[in-house]
Amino acid sequence: MAIIQVSHLKKSFGPLDVLKDVSFDVNKNDVVAVIGPSGSGKSTMLRSLVYLEQVNGGSIRVQDDDLVRDGVYASPQKIKQITAKMGMVFQHFNLFPHLTVRENLELAPRVVKGEPDEAVRRRSAELLDKVGLAEKADHYPAKLSGGQKQRVAIARALMMNPDILLFDEPTSALDPELTGEVLQVIKQLAREHMTMMVVTHEMGFAREVAGKVMFMDNGEVIEAGTPDQLFEHPQFERTKAFLHRALK
């Protein structure tokens, strides 16, 4: 069953067509890796799913609710309801530097959802334990490594109990030795059947964890399939050329 349906998505920045005609479905419990060269529209596509970018045409449907249909957006209240179903983890963490790790996690459930303190505190403790950072609860982000900051960002996204998690190049700002600890958390979420879309340059991760890989280039989805199909038997020259460079 499709939990996200994207049809003929178009997005321009001035004269530059960033998304040309993007269509795809994501099913419940799917882990979809989105790969492709820089500037191919991957991040813009992902950000459009949570209304961080407004598209110029096409449709986005999330769990049978229209975020945008043929370029016309739902009401602000409806947009808020739909985007609340998705959590976003950014390349550069976006943690609040003046709040502790625990406060970063607990702010949104309290302010946005009005959840009781006891429930919020219990869940933040559980999630920090899950990402291996229970002992860092009272630290400020400046005291954390990049890998630790990204794990906090993942825990913060999970605090809102999303049905879908979106990752925008979650390891590209990290030193190589810190990448593994973040990928391990994402792998664990995959084992728990969290529906996820991951824009990534980590080909090994895409191959190992994703059930579906989507290759984008020049604002288009060139091809999509299982990791075996895409990595072992790419159908298009653009895919072959990209993989030849990426897998060197």
Side-chain angles (χ1 to χ4, degrees):
M1 173 190 150
I3 194 168
I4 300 174
Q5 295 167 287
V6 172
S7 305
H8 306 298
L9 215 56
K10 296 177 176 65
K11 171 67 179 178
S12 301
F13 293 107
L16 180 64
D17 294 329
V18 180
L19 301 177
K20 293 179 179 174
D21 188 3
V22 171
S23 298
F24 62 88
D25 288 352
V26 177
N27 292 325
K28 187 174 172 59
N29 305 137
D30 271 355
V31 179
V32 180
V34 186
I35 64 172
S38 296
S40 59
K42 304 183 302 295
S43 293
T44 300
M45 176 276 295
L46 203 70
R47 290 169 63 86
S48 71
L49 298 180
V50 285
Y51 197 59
L52 291 174
E53 299 287 358
Q54 292 189 46
V55 297
N56 303 115
S59 304
I60 300 171
R61 192 168 173 82
V62 180
Q63 291 181 327
D64 295 326
D65 284 322
D66 289 317
L67 176 69
V68 55
R69 185 169 186 173
D70 297 330
V72 179
Y73 276 91
S75 68
Q77 183 181 7
K78 191 69 174 174
I79 289 170
K80 191 175 177 182
Q81 288 173 1
I82 294 169
T83 55
K85 299 173 183 179
M86 295 177 277
M88 184 95 173
V89 179
F90 299 91
Q91 180 178 345
H92 293 289
F93 328 126
N94 290 11
L95 299 177
F96 294 111
H98 63 291
L99 300 180
T100 65
V101 165
R102 188 199 329 266
E103 289 165 345
N104 264 281
L105 265 66
E106 295 178 359
L107 181 65
R110 285 202 176 105
V111 173
V112 178
K113 288 189 169 182
E115 292 186 24
D117 286 351
E118 187 179 337
V120 171
R121 178 57 60 93
R122 185 170 60 248
R123 196 157 78 255
S124 70
E126 289 170 357
L127 286 171
L128 285 174
D129 188 53
K130 182 186 186 80
V131 301
L133 291 171
E135 77 285 358
K136 302 290 186 184
D138 296 316
H139 289 225
Y140 287 90
K143 297 292 186 183
L144 304 180
S145 70
Q148 290 170 335
K149 289 176 187 174
Q150 194 59 291
R151 284 186 280 154
V152 172
I154 294 170
R156 182 177 64 177
L158 290 169
M159 281 294 290
M160 299 298 279
N161 289 320
D163 296 320
I164 303 155
L165 267 184
L166 308 175
F167 294 85
D168 188 9
E169 300 192 19
T171 61
S172 63
L174 303 180
D175 294 331
E177 65 269 22
L178 300 177
T179 294
E181 63 190 60
V182 174
L183 295 182
Q184 279 302 124
V185 173
I186 301 174
K187 288 177 185 177
Q188 179 58 39
L189 292 171
R191 287 192 288 269
E192 295 167 6
H193 306 295
M194 170 64 80
T195 306
M196 294 186 282
M197 288 193 77
V198 187
V199 169
T200 183
H201 289 293
E202 297 284 338
M203 296 300 113
F205 169 76
R207 200 169 199 159
E208 181 185 348
V209 177
K212 179 180 177 183
V213 181
M214 198 163 84
F215 171 62
M216 289 185 68
D217 189 22
N218 197 27
E220 300 173 296
V221 176
I222 305 303
E223 63 179 299
T226 66
D228 184 57
Q229 287 169 336
L230 208 86
F231 287 107
E232 301 298 333
H233 310 286
Q235 300 297 302
F236 294 89
E237 288 305 319
R238 276 200 275 178
T239 316
K240 292 174 184 175
F242 170 77
L243 291 173
H244 179 71
R245 293 192 303 272
L247 296 173
K248 272 184 179 178

